[in-house]
C-alpha cells in the first residue's frame, strides 16, 4: 500500500503538517495559555494572534533509562573523596537537570509558540454556541423551501399530475389516430354509396376489410402511455434561515468606574467577536443606559463617554420596545446579555424583575446577566434570582476581575450536549 507524505512548507520553511500535529498534541496547554492571555490584552487587541508559552516539562519526550534498583558494576576514575571499598550513595530522586534554574545549576526556558489570529480565535471560541437555538443552526445549515417549477416526465407516483397526464394522453391519441379516423370516415362513406347502389362483390369486401383494420389500429392506440405521464416538478430554493438577534445592555452609570466599564467592554467585545465569527445572519442591538437608555451603534457602545445615574429598567423597557417593533418572537431567536455592577435604585429593581418575568423572558431563547466587581450581591442580583428560579433559560454570573472574564464567558455560552 502506497503512502503519501505531505512535506510542503508553509511560510518561512515551516512544515504545516508538523504544526498541526503539534497543536493537536499540546491542545490543552495551548488552550489554557489562550485563556490566560485575554486578561492582559486591551480591547483593540483581543482578536489578534498570540505567542503562548508552554512549560518545558509539558513537552518533554519520554526516555528509557536504567531503573535505580538492582546491582551494577562500574569502573570510576580515582578521586580524593573515596578509596577502594567505599560504598557510593545513590543520588537523590529528581537529582537530574530540571526546567528550573538554581544557583548551582542552569535551567531551561519555556517553549514559546506563536498562534495566528485564526488559530487564536479557533481555540478561544471552541465548543461555544448560542444556547437553545431551536429554530435553526445559523452557522452550519442552510434552509430550503420547495417551490413549483413546472412538470417533468420523471418522478414518484405521489407527484403525478393526473389532469396534465390525461391532457397529454388525449393529445397523443388525437395526433396518432387522426389519419386513421380520416380514412375510416372516407371508407365508411364509400361503403355506404356502394351499398346504396346495390353493388356487391370484391369492392365491398375490400372496403369492409379496410374499415375493420382501421378500427383495429385506432383501438390499438393506448389510452395512456408512460410517455404521457407528467409529474409536478419541485425544486429546493434557498431561503433565509430563521434570524437571531442579540441585545447587549451595558450599564454606563457613575457607579461603573473605569475598571468596571473596561471589564464590561471586554465581555461584550468577546460576545461580538463570537457572534460575528460563528453566525452569518445575526443582528446585534447595542443599548447603553444610565438614568435613560438609548440604542447606539457599535462604535458609540464601546467608546462613548456619557454617564449619569442608574435606572436599569430604562434599558429593559427599550429592549422590549425594540422587540415588539422589529423582532417578533415568532420569526426570530432572541437573546439578551446584560452587564452591570448591580447598583440600582431600590424601587427600580423590582420593576426590572417584573419586566423580565412578565414581558421579556417569554420572548427570549436565553438571557445572561453579568454582575461586575461587587463585593456582595446587589439589590438587582437579589431580584434577578427570582427570574432565574422562574426561567431555566436565565443565567447569572459574577465577574470580580479581568481573569474571570473568559471563564464566565465560556460558562454562559458553552455548547449544550444532547
Amino acid at each position: 500500500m502506497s503512502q503519501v507524505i505531505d512535506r510542503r512548507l508553509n511560510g518561512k520553511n515551516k512544515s504545516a503538517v508538523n504544526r498541526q500535529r503539534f497543536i493537536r498534541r499540546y491542545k490543552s496547554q495551548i488552550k489554557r495559555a489562550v485563556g490566560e492571555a485575554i486578561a492582559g490584552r486591551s480591547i483593540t487587541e483581543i482578536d489578534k494572534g498570540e505567542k503562548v508559552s508552554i512549560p518545558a516539562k509539558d513537552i518533554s519526550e519520554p526516555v528509557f533509562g536504567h531503573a535505580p534498583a538492582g546491582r551494577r558494576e562500574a569502573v570510576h576514575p580515582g578521586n580524593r573523596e573515596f578509596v577502594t571499598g567505599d560504598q557510593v550513595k545513590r543520588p537523590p530522586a529528581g537529582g537530574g537537570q530540571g526546567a528550573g534554574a538554581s544557583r548551582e545549576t542552569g535551567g531551561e526556558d519555556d517553549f514559546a509558540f506563536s498562534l495566528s489570529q485564526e488559530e487564536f480565535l479557533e481555540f478561544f471560541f471552541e465548543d461555544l454556541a448560542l444556547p437553545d437555538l431551536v429554530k435553526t443552526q445559523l452557522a452550519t445549515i442552510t434552509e430550503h423551501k420547495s417551490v413549483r417549477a413546472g412538470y417533468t416526465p420523471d418522478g414518484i407516483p405521489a407527484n403525478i399530475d393526473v389532469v396534465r397526464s390525461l391532457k397529454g394522453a388525449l393529445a397523443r391519441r388525437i395526433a396518432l389516430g387522426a389519419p386513421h379516423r380520416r380514412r375510416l370516415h372516407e371508407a365508411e362513406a364509400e361503403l355506404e354509396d356502394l351499398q346504396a347502389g346495390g353493388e356487391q362483390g370484391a369492392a365491398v369486401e375490400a372496403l369492409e376489410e379496410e374499415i375493420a383494420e382501421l378500427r383495429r389500429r385506432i383501438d390499438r392506440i393506448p389510452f395512456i402511455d408512460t410517455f404521457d405521464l407528467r409529474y409536478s416538478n419541485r425544486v429546493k430554493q434557498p431561503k433565509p434561515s430563521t434570524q437571531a438577534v442579540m441585545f447587549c445592555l451595558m450599564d454606563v452609570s457613575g457607579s461603573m468606574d473605569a475598571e468596571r466599564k473596561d471589564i464590561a467592554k471586554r465581555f461584550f467585545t468577546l460576545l461580538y467577536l463570537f457572534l460575528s465569527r460563528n453566525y452569518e445572519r445575526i443582528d446585534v442591538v447595542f443599548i447603553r443606559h444610565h438614568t435613560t437608555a438609548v440604542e447606539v451603534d457599535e462604535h458609540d457602545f464601546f467608546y462613548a463617554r456619557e454617564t449619569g445615574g442608574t435606572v436599569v429598567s430604562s434599558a429593559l423597557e427599550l429592549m422590549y420596545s425594540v422587540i415588539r417593533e422589529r423582532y417578533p418572537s415568532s420569526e426570530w431567536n432572541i437573546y439578551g446579555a446584560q452587564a452591570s455592577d448591580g447598583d440600582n435604585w431600590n424601587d427600580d429593581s423590582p420593576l426590572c424583575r417584573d419586566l423580565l418575568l412578565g414581558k421579556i423572558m417569554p420572548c427570549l431563547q436565553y438571557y445572561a446577566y453579568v454582575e461586575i466587581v461587587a463585593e456582595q450581591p446587589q439589590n438587582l442580583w437579589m431580584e434577578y434570582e427570582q427570574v432565574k428560579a422562574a426561567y431555566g433559560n436565565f443565567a447569572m454570573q459574577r465577574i470580580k476581575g479581568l481573569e474571570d472574564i473568559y471563564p464566565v464567558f465560556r460558562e454562559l455560552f458553552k455548547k449544550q450536549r444532547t
Side-chain angles (χ1 to χ4, degrees):
M1 180 180 66
S2 61
Q3 295 182 347
V4 178
I5 300 177
D6 189 351
R7 299 189 183 277
R8 292 174 296 176
L9 299 179
N10 183 29
K12 296 183 179 180
N13 297 327
K14 296 178 181 178
S15 171
V17 177
N18 289 338
R19 180 181 182 86
Q20 293 304 316
R21 185 185 299 115
F22 179 87
I23 290 176
R24 289 194 302 269
R25 184 170 182 178
Y26 300 105
K27 184 176 182 178
S28 59
Q29 290 91 336
I30 296 175
K31 194 171 182 178
R32 183 171 60 250
V34 166
E36 295 171 353
I38 188 63
R41 288 190 169 198
S42 67
I43 293 177
T44 58
E45 296 177 343
I46 281 182
D47 62 338
K48 294 183 178 179
E50 177 70 14
K51 179 177 287 187
V52 298
S53 295
I54 302 175
K57 62 182 179 65
D58 289 347
I59 60 173
S60 59
E61 297 291 341
V63 295
F64 291 96
H66 292 287
R71 295 175 60 89
R72 289 182 296 163
E73 294 184 1
V75 178
H76 297 279
N79 57 76
R80 298 179 180 178
E81 300 179 14
F82 302 100
V83 298
T84 303
D86 287 345
Q87 293 184 352
V88 181
K89 294 183 179 180
R90 292 175 179 170
Q97 276 196 341
S102 66
R103 296 179 62 181
E104 293 79 15
T105 61
E108 186 177 352
D109 290 337
D110 291 344
F111 179 78
F113 183 72
S114 296
L115 293 175
S116 66
Q117 179 186 30
E118 186 68 21
E119 290 170 338
F120 181 83
L121 294 177
E122 185 69 26
F123 278 103
F124 203 79
F125 296 124
E126 186 180 33
D127 296 330
L128 298 182
L130 289 177
D132 301 324
L133 192 62
V134 296
K135 295 187 178 71
T136 181
Q137 298 287 338
L138 294 179
T140 57
I141 295 180
T142 302
E143 291 186 355
H144 295 82
K145 61 180 179 180
S146 181
V147 297
R148 292 288 299 271
Y151 302 94
T152 177
D154 302 313
I156 61 175
N159 288 339
I160 289 180
D161 190 294
V162 177
V163 175
R164 181 75 178 193
S165 299
L166 291 177
K167 286 182 178 180
L170 179 61
R172 177 184 52 79
R173 293 199 306 273
I174 292 175
L176 294 178
H180 303 309
R181 290 191 180 89
R182 184 166 51 251
R183 177 55 191 158
L184 176 62
H185 295 326
E186 294 173 354
E188 289 176 343
E190 292 176 5
L191 180 60
E192 289 179 0
D193 292 340
L194 291 176
Q195 290 176 345
E199 188 172 342
Q200 301 291 331
V204 173
E205 292 178 357
L207 283 174
E208 289 177 345
E209 290 180 0
E210 183 180 2
I211 291 173
E213 178 62 23
L214 291 171
R215 288 175 176 171
R216 284 194 297 269
R217 290 185 178 181
I218 293 174
D219 291 340
R220 282 198 298 266
I221 299 175
F223 177 77
I224 191 167
D225 192 84
T226 54
F227 177 80
D228 305 321
L229 297 180
R230 291 295 180 268
Y231 300 84
S232 297
N233 188 30
R234 296 181 178 273
V235 297
K236 289 185 177 180
Q237 186 179 83
K239 69 174 183 177
S241 300
T242 304
Q243 302 100 327
V245 57
M246 172 66 75
F247 285 85
C248 298
L249 285 64
M250 182 167 63
D251 184 356
V252 293
S253 61
S255 60
M256 290 279 289
D257 56 22
E259 179 184 359
R260 298 182 183 187
K261 287 180 181 178
D262 181 64
I263 292 176
K265 290 176 182 179
R266 287 173 182 268
F267 175 82
F268 283 116
T269 300
L270 291 184
L271 180 58
Y272 182 69
L273 285 174
F274 166 64
L275 296 175
S276 60
R277 174 179 171 81
N278 290 281
Y279 300 97
E280 296 179 0
R281 293 174 290 274
I282 189 165
D283 285 1
V284 182
V285 178
F286 297 103
I287 297 177
R288 292 167 54 97
H289 76 88
H290 38 82
T291 54
T292 59
V294 59
E295 181 180 351
V296 296
D297 58 19
E298 174 191 348
H299 181 272
D300 289 343
F301 184 80
F302 288 106
Y303 299 108
R305 297 180 177 274
E306 186 180 4
T307 186
T310 308
V311 180
V312 178
S313 62
S314 62
L316 297 177
E317 289 174 349
L318 178 57
M319 175 182 175
Y320 183 63
S321 175
V322 173
I323 290 175
R324 287 188 303 169
E325 293 176 4
R326 307 204 308 253
Y327 302 104
S329 58
S330 59
E331 301 177 10
W332 290 79
N333 286 288
I334 306 175
Y335 296 86
Q338 179 184 359
S340 173
D341 62 349
D343 185 21
N344 192 26
W345 292 104
N346 289 333
D347 57 348
D348 187 62
S349 294
L351 178 57
C352 296
R353 177 203 61 205
D354 295 339
L355 283 170
L356 286 169
L357 288 173
K359 296 181 178 180
I360 297 178
M361 289 308 300
C363 304
L364 266 60
Q365 302 295 112
Y366 187 69
Y367 193 95
Y369 171 67
V370 175
E371 192 166 278
I372 302 172
V373 197
E375 295 298 330
Q376 298 294 331
Q378 301 296 305
N379 56 2
L380 189 62
W381 179 278
M382 303 298 184
E383 298 295 340
Y384 277 6
E385 285 183 333
Q386 301 181 39
V387 182
K388 183 178 180 180
Y391 289 93
N393 57 341
F394 187 92
M396 303 169 61
Q397 291 287 336
R398 301 180 72 227
I399 297 179
K400 296 182 179 180
L402 293 176
E403 65 280 359
D404 296 331
I405 296 176
Y406 185 58
V408 167
F409 183 82
R410 291 196 65 87
E411 180 65 25
L412 291 174
F413 296 101
K414 62 183 178 181
K415 187 175 294 185
Q416 297 177 342
R417 305 299 180 185
T418 56

